[in-house]
Amino acid sequence: MLLAIGAAGVLVSGFIHYYLYFEGGYRGIAPEELLGLTISRSFALNAIAGLLLAEMLVVSIRFPRWTLPAVLGGVGFAAAAIVAYVLSRTTGLLGFEDDQTSVEAVIAVVAELAAIAALGPVLVGLRPVRQSMPPAAG
């Protein structure tokens, strides 16, 4: 259940980035570039990454060996999106100078926090448990 909730959070975040890229006017915006990345390209990449990671999380329900990389990717995606949002609003990351919070931004941040909250316990549960050694005979 937590994997599905995490997948939904990642997918919603990816969809918001997709929506803002195509419908929200972020397509083609490039006031600054960092290693070939612009604010416009970052929204397109987040949309693609969100979709792929959400799919990976859903597939990991059936194929447990995918769980660790899917959960790491989902948590990393959500955390990076939140950090990028904060940096873009406070430091003008990639030339983003809009200081107003939109409904889309609130939905994306809530979805990313939900993904972290759902996938965090899964990640903790995946850690190998150290078994105590039985006392030596003798």
Side-chain angles (χ1 to χ4, degrees), residues 12-51:
V12 167
S13 173
F15 175 77
I16 293 295
H17 286 92
Y18 168 85
Y19 172 79
L20 289 172
Y21 181 77
F22 285 106
E23 304 294 329
Y26 284 74
R27 188 176 193 174
I29 297 176
E32 290 182 16
E33 186 173 312
L34 176 66
L35 301 172
L37 186 66
T38 64
I39 194 73
S40 178
R41 289 181 191 142
S42 73
F43 274 73
L45 289 173
N46 270 9
I48 294 166
L51 174 64

Short mmCIF file of all heavy atoms in Angstrom, two decimals, residues 12-51:
data_model
loop_
_atom_site.label_atom_id
_atom_site.label_comp_id
_atom_site.label_asym_id
_atom_site.label_seq_id
_atom_site.Cartn_x
_atom_site.Cartn_y
_atom_site.Cartn_z
N VAL A 12 1.83 12.36 -9.44
CA VAL A 12 1.16 13.67 -9.38
C VAL A 12 2.19 14.79 -9.56
O VAL A 12 1.98 15.74 -10.32
CB VAL A 12 0.37 13.85 -8.07
CG1 VAL A 12 -0.06 15.29 -7.87
CG2 VAL A 12 -0.84 12.93 -8.06
N SER A 13 3.34 14.67 -8.90
CA SER A 13 4.38 15.67 -9.06
C SER A 13 4.86 15.74 -10.51
O SER A 13 5.00 16.82 -11.07
CB SER A 13 5.57 15.33 -8.15
OG SER A 13 6.65 16.21 -8.40
N GLY A 14 5.08 14.57 -11.12
CA GLY A 14 5.49 14.54 -12.52
C GLY A 14 4.44 15.15 -13.42
O GLY A 14 4.75 15.89 -14.37
N PHE A 15 3.17 14.86 -13.13
CA PHE A 15 2.09 15.42 -13.95
C PHE A 15 2.03 16.94 -13.83
O PHE A 15 1.81 17.64 -14.82
CB PHE A 15 0.73 14.83 -13.59
CG PHE A 15 -0.38 15.49 -14.34
CD1 PHE A 15 -0.61 15.17 -15.68
CD2 PHE A 15 -1.17 16.45 -13.74
CE1 PHE A 15 -1.61 15.81 -16.40
CE2 PHE A 15 -2.18 17.10 -14.46
CZ PHE A 15 -2.40 16.77 -15.79
N ILE A 16 2.22 17.46 -12.63
CA ILE A 16 2.20 18.92 -12.44
C ILE A 16 3.32 19.55 -13.27
O ILE A 16 3.12 20.58 -13.92
CB ILE A 16 2.33 19.29 -10.95
CG1 ILE A 16 1.08 18.86 -10.18
CG2 ILE A 16 2.60 20.79 -10.77
CD1 ILE A 16 -0.19 19.56 -10.57
N HIS A 17 4.50 18.94 -13.27
CA HIS A 17 5.60 19.47 -14.08
C HIS A 17 5.26 19.40 -15.57
O HIS A 17 5.56 20.31 -16.33
CB HIS A 17 6.91 18.74 -13.76
CG HIS A 17 7.47 19.14 -12.44
ND1 HIS A 17 7.19 18.48 -11.27
CD2 HIS A 17 8.29 20.16 -12.10
CE1 HIS A 17 7.81 19.07 -10.28
NE2 HIS A 17 8.49 20.10 -10.75
N TYR A 18 4.64 18.31 -15.98
CA TYR A 18 4.19 18.16 -17.37
C TYR A 18 3.18 19.26 -17.72
O TYR A 18 3.29 19.93 -18.75
CB TYR A 18 3.55 16.78 -17.56
CG TYR A 18 2.80 16.61 -18.85
CD1 TYR A 18 3.45 16.24 -20.02
CD2 TYR A 18 1.42 16.82 -18.90
CE1 TYR A 18 2.75 16.10 -21.21
CE2 TYR A 18 0.71 16.67 -20.08
CZ TYR A 18 1.38 16.31 -21.23
OH TYR A 18 0.69 16.17 -22.41
N TYR A 19 2.20 19.44 -16.85
CA TYR A 19 1.17 20.45 -17.07
C TYR A 19 1.78 21.85 -17.18
O TYR A 19 1.45 22.61 -18.08
CB TYR A 19 0.15 20.39 -15.93
CG TYR A 19 -0.85 21.52 -15.98
CD1 TYR A 19 -1.92 21.47 -16.85
CD2 TYR A 19 -0.71 22.64 -15.16
CE1 TYR A 19 -2.83 22.52 -16.92
CE2 TYR A 19 -1.61 23.68 -15.21
CZ TYR A 19 -2.67 23.63 -16.10
OH TYR A 19 -3.55 24.66 -16.16
N LEU A 20 2.68 22.17 -16.26
CA LEU A 20 3.29 23.50 -16.28
C LEU A 20 4.16 23.69 -17.52
O LEU A 20 4.24 24.80 -18.06
CB LEU A 20 4.10 23.74 -15.01
CG LEU A 20 3.26 23.92 -13.74
CD1 LEU A 20 4.15 23.96 -12.52
CD2 LEU A 20 2.39 25.16 -13.83
N TYR A 21 4.80 22.62 -17.97
CA TYR A 21 5.64 22.72 -19.16
C TYR A 21 4.80 23.00 -20.40
O TYR A 21 5.10 23.90 -21.18
CB TYR A 21 6.45 21.44 -19.34
CG TYR A 21 7.37 21.46 -20.55
CD1 TYR A 21 8.56 22.17 -20.51
CD2 TYR A 21 7.04 20.77 -21.71
CE1 TYR A 21 9.41 22.19 -21.61
CE2 TYR A 21 7.88 20.79 -22.81
CZ TYR A 21 9.07 21.50 -22.75
OH TYR A 21 9.89 21.52 -23.84
N PHE A 22 3.72 22.25 -20.59
CA PHE A 22 2.93 22.38 -21.80
C PHE A 22 1.82 23.43 -21.71
O PHE A 22 1.51 24.10 -22.68
CB PHE A 22 2.32 21.03 -22.21
CG PHE A 22 3.34 20.11 -22.82
CD1 PHE A 22 3.82 19.04 -22.10
CD2 PHE A 22 3.81 20.33 -24.10
CE1 PHE A 22 4.77 18.20 -22.65
CE2 PHE A 22 4.76 19.50 -24.67
CZ PHE A 22 5.24 18.42 -23.95
N GLU A 23 1.18 23.54 -20.55
CA GLU A 23 0.03 24.43 -20.42
C GLU A 23 0.31 25.67 -19.58
O GLU A 23 -0.43 26.64 -19.66
CB GLU A 23 -1.15 23.68 -19.79
CG GLU A 23 -1.56 22.42 -20.53
CD GLU A 23 -2.13 22.70 -21.91
OE1 GLU A 23 -2.75 23.77 -22.11
OE2 GLU A 23 -1.95 21.84 -22.79
N GLY A 24 1.33 25.61 -18.75
CA GLY A 24 1.57 26.69 -17.80
C GLY A 24 2.55 27.74 -18.27
O GLY A 24 2.92 28.64 -17.52
N GLY A 25 3.04 27.63 -19.49
CA GLY A 25 3.92 28.65 -20.02
C GLY A 25 5.39 28.48 -19.70
O GLY A 25 6.18 29.39 -19.89
N TYR A 26 5.79 27.31 -19.21
CA TYR A 26 7.20 27.11 -18.86
C TYR A 26 8.02 26.59 -20.03
O TYR A 26 9.22 26.50 -19.95
CB TYR A 26 7.31 26.13 -17.69
CG TYR A 26 6.95 26.76 -16.37
CD1 TYR A 26 5.63 27.03 -16.06
CD2 TYR A 26 7.92 27.09 -15.45
CE1 TYR A 26 5.28 27.62 -14.86
CE2 TYR A 26 7.60 27.68 -14.25
CZ TYR A 26 6.27 27.95 -13.96
OH TYR A 26 5.93 28.53 -12.77
N ARG A 27 7.37 26.22 -21.11
CA ARG A 27 8.07 25.70 -22.28
C ARG A 27 8.85 26.83 -22.96
O ARG A 27 8.30 27.87 -23.28
CB ARG A 27 7.07 25.10 -23.25
CG ARG A 27 7.70 24.38 -24.39
CD ARG A 27 6.62 23.75 -25.23
NE ARG A 27 7.20 22.80 -26.13
CZ ARG A 27 6.51 22.01 -26.91
NH1 ARG A 27 5.20 22.05 -26.90
NH2 ARG A 27 7.11 21.19 -27.72
N GLY A 28 10.13 26.61 -23.14
CA GLY A 28 10.95 27.59 -23.84
C GLY A 28 11.54 28.67 -22.95
O GLY A 28 12.23 29.55 -23.44
N ILE A 29 11.29 28.63 -21.65
CA ILE A 29 11.87 29.63 -20.75
C ILE A 29 13.31 29.22 -20.45
O ILE A 29 13.57 28.10 -20.02
CB ILE A 29 11.07 29.73 -19.44
CG1 ILE A 29 9.66 30.20 -19.71
CG2 ILE A 29 11.77 30.65 -18.46
CD1 ILE A 29 8.78 30.22 -18.48
N ALA A 30 14.24 30.13 -20.68
CA ALA A 30 15.65 29.81 -20.43
C ALA A 30 16.44 31.06 -20.06
O ALA A 30 17.35 31.45 -20.76
CB ALA A 30 16.25 29.14 -21.67
N PRO A 31 16.09 31.71 -18.93
CA PRO A 31 16.84 32.91 -18.56
C PRO A 31 18.28 32.60 -18.17
O PRO A 31 19.16 33.41 -18.39
CB PRO A 31 16.07 33.49 -17.38
CG PRO A 31 15.28 32.36 -16.84
CD PRO A 31 15.03 31.42 -17.99
N GLU A 32 18.52 31.44 -17.61
CA GLU A 32 19.87 31.02 -17.24
C GLU A 32 20.03 29.55 -17.57
O GLU A 32 19.06 28.80 -17.64
CB GLU A 32 20.12 31.22 -15.74
CG GLU A 32 20.21 32.66 -15.32
CD GLU A 32 20.51 32.81 -13.84
OE1 GLU A 32 20.93 31.83 -13.20
OE2 GLU A 32 20.31 33.91 -13.33
N GLU A 33 21.28 29.13 -17.74
CA GLU A 33 21.57 27.74 -18.05
C GLU A 33 22.69 27.27 -17.14
O GLU A 33 23.64 27.99 -16.89
CB GLU A 33 21.99 27.62 -19.52
CG GLU A 33 22.16 26.20 -19.97
CD GLU A 33 22.41 26.12 -21.47
OE1 GLU A 33 21.68 26.76 -22.24
OE2 GLU A 33 23.36 25.41 -21.83
N LEU A 34 22.54 26.05 -16.64
CA LEU A 34 23.57 25.44 -15.80
C LEU A 34 23.83 24.05 -16.34
O LEU A 34 22.95 23.19 -16.28
CB LEU A 34 23.11 25.38 -14.34
CG LEU A 34 24.03 24.68 -13.36
CD1 LEU A 34 25.34 25.45 -13.21
CD2 LEU A 34 23.36 24.52 -12.02
N LEU A 35 24.99 23.83 -16.92
CA LEU A 35 25.37 22.54 -17.50
C LEU A 35 24.32 22.05 -18.50
O LEU A 35 23.97 20.88 -18.52
CB LEU A 35 25.59 21.50 -16.40
CG LEU A 35 26.66 21.83 -15.37
CD1 LEU A 35 26.63 20.82 -14.23
CD2 LEU A 35 28.03 21.90 -16.01
N GLY A 36 23.81 22.95 -19.30
CA GLY A 36 22.82 22.60 -20.32
C GLY A 36 21.39 22.52 -19.80
O GLY A 36 20.48 22.22 -20.55
N LEU A 37 21.18 22.76 -18.51
CA LEU A 37 19.85 22.67 -17.93
C LEU A 37 19.26 24.06 -17.76
O LEU A 37 19.89 24.95 -17.21
CB LEU A 37 19.92 21.96 -16.57
CG LEU A 37 18.60 21.65 -15.89
CD1 LEU A 37 17.82 20.62 -16.71
CD2 LEU A 37 18.84 21.10 -14.49
N THR A 38 18.04 24.22 -18.25
CA THR A 38 17.30 25.46 -18.07
C THR A 38 16.06 25.15 -17.24
O THR A 38 15.73 23.98 -17.02
CB THR A 38 16.85 26.06 -19.42
OG1 THR A 38 15.94 25.14 -20.03
CG2 THR A 38 18.03 26.32 -20.34
N ILE A 39 15.38 26.18 -16.79
CA ILE A 39 14.16 25.95 -16.01
C ILE A 39 13.14 25.18 -16.85
O ILE A 39 12.46 24.29 -16.36
CB ILE A 39 13.57 27.27 -15.45
CG1 ILE A 39 12.52 27.00 -14.38
CG2 ILE A 39 13.01 28.14 -16.54
CD1 ILE A 39 13.08 26.53 -13.08
N SER A 40 13.07 25.48 -18.13
CA SER A 40 12.14 24.79 -19.02
C SER A 40 12.49 23.30 -19.13
O SER A 40 11.63 22.44 -18.97
CB SER A 40 12.18 25.45 -20.40
OG SER A 40 11.33 24.78 -21.29
N ARG A 41 13.75 23.01 -19.39
CA ARG A 41 14.17 21.62 -19.52
C ARG A 41 14.01 20.85 -18.21
O ARG A 41 13.71 19.67 -18.21
CB ARG A 41 15.62 21.55 -19.98
CG ARG A 41 15.81 21.96 -21.41
CD ARG A 41 17.25 21.86 -21.83
NE ARG A 41 17.44 22.50 -23.11
CZ ARG A 41 18.50 23.20 -23.44
NH1 ARG A 41 19.50 23.34 -22.60
NH2 ARG A 41 18.59 23.76 -24.63
N SER A 42 14.20 21.54 -17.08
CA SER A 42 14.06 20.86 -15.79
C SER A 42 12.62 20.40 -15.58
O SER A 42 12.38 19.33 -15.02
CB SER A 42 14.52 21.74 -14.64
OG SER A 42 13.61 22.79 -14.38
N PHE A 43 11.65 21.19 -16.05
CA PHE A 43 10.25 20.78 -15.92
C PHE A 43 9.95 19.58 -16.81
O PHE A 43 9.26 18.66 -16.40
CB PHE A 43 9.32 21.96 -16.25
CG PHE A 43 9.05 22.83 -15.07
CD1 PHE A 43 10.02 23.69 -14.58
CD2 PHE A 43 7.83 22.79 -14.42
CE1 PHE A 43 9.78 24.48 -13.48
CE2 PHE A 43 7.58 23.58 -13.32
CZ PHE A 43 8.56 24.42 -12.83
N ALA A 44 10.49 19.58 -18.02
CA ALA A 44 10.29 18.45 -18.92
C ALA A 44 10.94 17.19 -18.36
O ALA A 44 10.34 16.10 -18.37
CB ALA A 44 10.86 18.77 -20.30
N LEU A 45 12.16 17.31 -17.84
CA LEU A 45 12.85 16.14 -17.25
C LEU A 45 12.12 15.63 -16.02
O LEU A 45 12.03 14.41 -15.81
CB LEU A 45 14.29 16.50 -16.91
CG LEU A 45 15.22 16.70 -18.11
CD1 LEU A 45 16.58 17.21 -17.64
CD2 LEU A 45 15.37 15.41 -18.89
N ASN A 46 11.60 16.52 -15.19
CA ASN A 46 10.84 16.08 -14.01
C ASN A 46 9.57 15.34 -14.41
O ASN A 46 9.19 14.37 -13.76
CB ASN A 46 10.49 17.27 -13.12
CG ASN A 46 11.54 17.54 -12.09
OD1 ASN A 46 12.63 16.96 -12.12
ND2 ASN A 46 11.27 18.43 -11.18
N ALA A 47 8.93 15.78 -15.47
CA ALA A 47 7.72 15.10 -15.94
C ALA A 47 8.05 13.68 -16.38
O ALA A 47 7.36 12.72 -16.00
CB ALA A 47 7.09 15.88 -17.08
N ILE A 48 9.12 13.53 -17.14
CA ILE A 48 9.52 12.20 -17.62
C ILE A 48 9.97 11.32 -16.46
O ILE A 48 9.55 10.17 -16.34
CB ILE A 48 10.63 12.33 -18.67
CG1 ILE A 48 10.09 13.02 -19.93
CG2 ILE A 48 11.23 10.97 -19.03
CD1 ILE A 48 11.17 13.51 -20.88
N ALA A 49 10.81 11.86 -15.59
CA ALA A 49 11.32 11.09 -14.44
C ALA A 49 10.18 10.68 -13.52
O ALA A 49 10.16 9.55 -13.02
CB ALA A 49 12.35 11.91 -13.67
N GLY A 50 9.23 11.56 -13.28
CA GLY A 50 8.09 11.23 -12.42
C GLY A 50 7.29 10.07 -12.96
O GLY A 50 6.92 9.15 -12.21
N LEU A 51 7.04 10.07 -14.25
CA LEU A 51 6.29 8.98 -14.86
C LEU A 51 7.06 7.67 -14.77
O LEU A 51 6.51 6.64 -14.35
CB LEU A 51 5.98 9.30 -16.33
CG LEU A 51 5.32 8.17 -17.13
CD1 LEU A 51 3.95 7.85 -16.56
CD2 LEU A 51 5.24 8.54 -18.59
#
